[in-house]
Amino acid sequence: MGEERYGEFVLVRRHGHVAELVLDRPKAMNAVSTEMARSLAAACTALGTDRDARVVVLTSSSERAFCVGADLKERNSFTDADLLRQRPVARGAYTGVLELPVPTIAAVHGFALGGGFELALACDLIVADETAVVGLPEVSVGVIPGGGGTQLLPRRVGAARAAELIFTARRLEAPEAAALGLVDQLTEAGQDREEALALAARIARNSPVGLRSAKRALRLGQGLDLRAGLEVEDAAWRATAFSGDRAEGVAAFNEKRAPQWPGE
């Protein structure tokens, strides 16, 4: 299992074709500072071009939290000009996760609040353990969700439910979060990372070309009418159907063996 560090607070571990992207600022419960945001964006840029990574799992090295959001201690010293300068750096971290071209899974335990929950929402799937507490409390400190929350949450739970959660700034414990669809899979305490990595391993057995194309169709088709969405799907199908992966998949099926994906 190889490791590569991006700055002081972000680590990438390799598990075969699964890349584990670790938020590694445990003393601050992974509060996203300017430095951490910059490192997270850099790690995502590298993973986005890594053809060996078929799935990315976003995890935390903190026992108490997945991520508590923006580093408000750092921001307390900011002038308006400082905050404005930081904005594109912060956005780069959230969009870096959101725009990863492969399937992504967040492994959540403890607090996942504000920008921390937005990092999870940027992933395709969220596995949470029973200690998880999630929410978007930004309006309670005079801002709004700015890492994609106002757009990603309603895509998960609908406009009215998202409005209620954002306007009240309330926190949800794991059972309610699962019941409302804010997380996709619940596990016992301490099992979120293990379950997310196991799910990622199952996904990674499939065609790399197929996975990327399926994700692209899912993401680009959101919000479109059915006819436009089907055109997005057709384009993704065409990008996959004439690939080496498709030829290998059909051959392996007929030869009753495991496919050896060329990934192109």
Side-chain angles (χ1 to χ4, degrees):
M1 180 177 68
E3 293 187 353
E4 186 172 1
R5 184 164 288 281
Y6 292 82
E8 186 178 356
F9 302 129
V10 176
L11 179 69
V12 173
R13 294 194 185 106
R14 304 289 177 156
H15 309 268
H17 291 295
V18 175
E20 181 184 3
L21 180 57
V22 186
L23 304 176
D24 191 27
R25 197 188 179 200
K27 291 181 180 179
M29 293 195 288
N30 292 326
V32 182
S33 63
T34 304
E35 179 185 349
M36 186 174 178
R38 189 174 286 115
S39 297
L40 186 55
C44 289
T45 296
L47 287 171
T49 58
D50 183 351
R51 305 303 292 189
D52 199 47
R54 298 181 186 174
V55 187
V56 172
V57 179
L58 185 61
T59 70
S60 160
S61 67
S62 168
E63 293 183 359
R64 297 178 58 199
F66 173 72
C67 175
V68 293
D71 187 341
L72 297 185
K73 290 183 178 179
E74 178 189 54
R75 287 195 180 180
N76 192 47
S77 66
F78 277 8
T79 65
D80 287 353
D82 291 333
L83 187 60
L84 188 61
R85 279 192 295 269
Q86 190 209 37
R87 178 60 177 163
V89 178
R91 285 195 72 185
Y94 299 108
T95 57
V97 175
L98 183 64
E99 293 177 359
L100 282 167
V102 298
T104 51
I105 305 168
V108 174
H109 59 266
F111 297 110
L113 300 172
F117 189 44
E118 287 175 302
L119 286 173
L121 288 172
C123 295
D124 299 301
L125 298 167
I126 302 174
V127 175
D129 83 356
E130 61 192 16
T131 72
V133 178
V134 307
L136 297 176
E138 283 88 347
V139 297
S140 70
V141 293
V143 291
I144 71 165
T150 65
Q151 306 305 305
L152 295 171
L153 188 57
R155 283 168 165 77
R156 269 190 166 265
V157 300
R161 178 67 69 189
E164 183 259 319
L165 295 172
I166 290 170
F167 294 163
T168 62
R170 70 185 180 95
R171 303 178 179 190
L172 291 76
E173 295 186 354
E176 184 181 9
L180 296 182
L182 276 73
V183 303
D184 303 302
Q185 182 176 327
L186 271 187
T187 72
E188 295 179 0
Q191 296 298 304
D192 54 295
R193 176 179 177 270
E194 181 178 333
E195 289 295 325
L197 287 172
L199 175 58
R202 293 198 297 275
I203 293 171
R205 290 197 290 265
N206 296 310
S207 157
V209 175
L211 290 173
R212 287 171 179 252
S213 293
K215 175 164 180 170
R216 188 164 60 250
L218 284 163
R219 285 287 177 90
L220 293 180
Q222 286 182 357
L224 300 179
D225 64 44
L226 179 59
R227 186 181 297 275
L230 289 172
E231 291 304 314
V232 168
E233 181 182 79
D234 186 64
W237 179 87
R238 291 174 185 276
T240 313
F242 306 103
S243 68
D245 273 14
R246 195 274 308 170
E248 169 61 10
V250 172
F253 177 83
N254 283 288
E255 295 165 17
K256 296 181 173 57
R257 58 173 176 81
Q260 301 295 316
W261 304 115
E264 56 186 22

